[in-house]
Amino acid sequence: MSSASCIFCKIIKGEIPSFKLIETPLSFAFLDIQPLSEGHILVIPKHHGAKLHNIPDENLADILPVIKKLTKVLKLDENDTPEGTGYNVLQNNGRIAHQEVDHVHFHLIPKVDPKTGLGVGWPAQATDFDKLGKLHKELIEKLEKL
Ligand code: 5GP
Ligand code: ZN
């Protein structure tokens, strides 16, 4: 499924050039043209959909192994300790969540120093077990009906 007006669908079809890295029958990976750090890569499903829930499971299942392969080519897999070089995998849904391109994309963003790469705001709320317990019950009931 493709959208004629979508920039990432055009990239998949080769109508817009890209620095392609990996193509599978279900996914396409290429360099982000405005990287947050060197090696910032986008991995997209070859199925047009704006948000994660719009994408078939088989496309989603294809994407994480592609990202894993890319960690190797970027040598991000060489550090198995918590300190030192790391990376973020990010997938935004909706303008409020910082999505600019309405075709699902996973960012692989190397984090080699505090300045480059993804900066994360994390406005954690205080732990409230009563509230969590109520929410958990509600969600479990809904999950059982899915
Ligand atoms: P979002 O904010 O939607 O999660 O991220 C969109 C990303 O797509 C941005 O990082 C932006 O640099 C990238 N991007 C936008 N247009 C193009 C393009 O034409 N080619 C490539 N390679 N990346 C793009
Ligand atoms: Zn698209």
Side-chain angles (χ1 to χ4, degrees), residues 21-138:
L21 292 163
I22 295 179
E23 184 170 7
T24 76
L26 296 170
S27 310
F28 193 98
F30 55 107
L31 291 178
D32 195 301
I33 46 167
Q34 289 187 292
L36 295 184
S37 58
E38 188 175 288
H40 181 167
I41 293 169
L42 298 175
V43 184
I44 63 178
K46 285 185 176 174
H47 177 106
H48 178 80
K51 295 183 178 175
L52 186 79
H53 62 264
N54 302 129
I55 305 302
D57 287 356
E58 59 168 350
N59 290 83
L60 294 177
D62 195 66
I63 284 176
L64 280 182
V66 169
I67 294 176
K68 184 176 166 186
K69 196 181 244 185
L70 290 164
T71 65
K72 294 183 202 304
V73 83
L74 292 170
K75 300 191 171 184
L76 296 169
D77 64 326
E78 290 181 356
N79 178 21
D80 282 325
T81 74
E83 305 308 325
T85 294
Y87 55 94
N88 294 94
V89 176
L90 176 71
Q91 196 270 313
N92 300 325
N93 296 274
R95 293 290 172 277
I96 195 169
H98 216 287
Q99 182 179 18
E100 299 294 335
V101 178
D102 291 333
H103 180 129
V104 163
H105 46 283
F106 289 74
H107 297 259
L108 170 59
I109 311 166
K111 187 71 179 172
V112 299
D113 57 54
K115 278 195 177 164
T116 64
L118 184 67
V120 183
W122 198 269
Q125 300 175 4
T127 305
D128 180 338
F129 285 115
D130 282 347
K131 208 170 154 188
L132 290 171
K134 279 183 198 133
L135 177 63
H136 182 245
K137 187 168 173 283
E138 238 177 80

Side-chain angles (χ1 to χ4, degrees), residues 1-3 6-10 12 47-49 102-104:
M1 197 187 125
S2 182
S3 157
C6 170
I7 190 169
F8 284 178
C9 284
K10 286 180 185 168
I12 292 166
H47 177 106
H48 178 80
D102 291 333
H103 180 129
V104 163

